[in-house]
């Protein structure tokens, strides 16, 4: 009985060590966009495994398959929940984290970066894909201070769905179509020139371009 108890304690210790190592490993949190279905998310994860080899990819699902006005509210709630999760992480784990967001998910990431910068906290990196935010959004200038390595912004000139939806709330082109006004050594922006098409807003298309951009920076 004492022998069994001793063996169990050793296994528990090893199990704790394994969990500790996993918790401090490199992670990517992917925040999908509006009406991104499960099959689309799986395809996005496959591409991100190529972009970030050796990283654990976690899809931060939220209730996006609703009307757009409800989705905006749900995205804001998602941002608040992720802020709590990320700020409560051990610092070593948080500093290995990369945030990737598409569409409304990119707006969530932008909001989180701003919050982390105000809290004097840092993560490893970030990527914004098809972001429905203004070119001069001040959250980007503040949020870059929360990124230790690189922050990417990928925009599609032919993302007509993003441009159409954005026009209901704001004027001009969103950051995800025309790019931003922001310049910084750790900020890499790429505007993909493509023909107008509603399907240009698909997340996997943005991720394929991000893959090329990240490779070009390495």
């Amino acid at each position: 009985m004492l022998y069994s108890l001793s063996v169990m304690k050793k296994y528990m210790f090893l199990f704790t060590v394994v969990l500790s190592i996993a918790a401090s490993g490199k992670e990517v949190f992917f925040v999908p966009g509006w009406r991104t279905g499960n099959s689309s998310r799986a395809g996005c994860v496959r591409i991100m495994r190529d972009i970030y080899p050796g990283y654990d990819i976690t899809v931060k699902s939220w209730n996006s398959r609703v009307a757009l006005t409800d989705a905006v509210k749900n995205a804001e709630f998602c941002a608040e929940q992720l802020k709590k999760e990320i700020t409560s992480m051990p610092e070593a784990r948080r500093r290995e984290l990369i945030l990737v967001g598409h569409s409304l998910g990119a707006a969530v990431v932008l909001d989180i970066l701003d919050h982390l910068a105000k809290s004097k906290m840092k993560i490893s990196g970030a990527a914004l894909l098809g972001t429905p935010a203004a070119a001069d959004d001040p959250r980007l200038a503040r949020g870059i201070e929360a990124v230790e390595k690189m922050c990417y912004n990928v925009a599609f000139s032919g993302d007509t769905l993003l441009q159409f939806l954005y026009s209901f709330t704001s004027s001009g082109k969103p950051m995800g179509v025309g790019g931003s006004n922001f310049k910084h050594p750790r900020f890499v922006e790429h505007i993909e020139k493509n023909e107008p098409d509603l399907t240009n807003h698909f997340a996997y298309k943005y991720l394929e371009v991000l893959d090329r951009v990240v490779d070009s920076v390495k």
Side-chain angles (χ1 to χ4, degrees):
M1 183 66 179
L2 288 176
Y3 173 78
S4 299
L5 185 59
S6 175
V7 171
M8 286 179 63
K9 285 182 177 179
K10 288 180 180 179
Y11 276 118
M12 287 299 294
F13 173 76
L14 289 173
F15 182 68
T16 303
V17 170
V18 170
L19 284 181
S20 177
I21 293 172
S24 61
K26 296 180 178 181
E27 297 176 275
V28 174
F29 283 3
F30 173 58
V31 188
W34 180 44
R35 303 195 68 81
T36 304
N38 291 332
S39 59
S40 299
R41 295 175 186 184
C44 290
V45 169
R46 284 194 292 272
I47 299 172
M48 281 185 285
R49 285 179 180 148
D50 290 333
I51 302 173
Y52 305 108
Y55 281 73
D56 290 329
I57 313 293
T58 302
V59 179
K60 289 299 179 178
S61 300
W62 56 282
N63 187 13
S64 69
R65 306 198 73 180
V66 293
L68 183 57
T69 52
D70 293 328
V72 170
K73 295 177 183 177
N74 292 344
E76 291 171 352
F77 179 76
C78 172
E80 293 305 313
Q81 295 301 109
L82 281 175
K83 287 175 191 175
K84 294 176 183 177
E85 179 179 354
I86 294 169
T87 55
S88 65
M89 285 179 176
E91 183 180 3
R93 180 186 173 194
R94 186 171 55 248
R95 293 178 88 107
E96 295 285 356
L97 177 66
I98 293 175
L99 295 177
V100 179
H102 167 250
S103 190
L104 276 177
V108 168
V109 169
L110 193 58
D111 200 40
I112 293 170
L113 292 179
D114 187 28
H115 176 76
L116 291 173
K118 290 175 179 176
S119 303
K120 308 297 183 184
M121 294 181 175
K122 291 186 179 292
I123 61 171
S124 177
L128 307 169
L129 314 172
T131 312
D136 59 352
D137 193 311
R139 291 177 298 172
L140 183 56
R142 291 192 298 262
I144 193 68
E145 297 306 319
V147 178
E148 285 195 298
K149 295 180 181 177
M150 303 301 295
C151 179
Y152 297 91
N153 180 51
V154 178
F156 277 9
S157 66
D159 190 337
T160 52
L161 179 61
L162 176 57
Q163 178 66 71
F164 176 72
L165 295 175
Y166 186 78
S167 66
F168 281 99
T169 58
S170 305
S171 59
K173 292 182 179 180
M175 190 188 301
V177 173
S180 71
N181 299 337
F182 183 62
K183 306 295 180 185
H184 192 280
R186 293 197 307 278
F187 181 68
V188 176
E189 183 163 74
H190 175 84
I191 302 176
E192 185 80 356
K193 304 296 183 181
N194 45 24
E195 294 298 318
D197 194 321
L198 292 175
T199 65
N200 282 335
H201 194 60
F202 289 170
Y204 80 88
K205 290 189 175 183
Y206 276 97
L207 284 166
E208 287 174 347
V209 174
L210 177 64
D211 195 1
R212 299 201 315 265
V213 175
V214 170
D215 281 344
S216 70
V217 173
K218 289 178 181 177

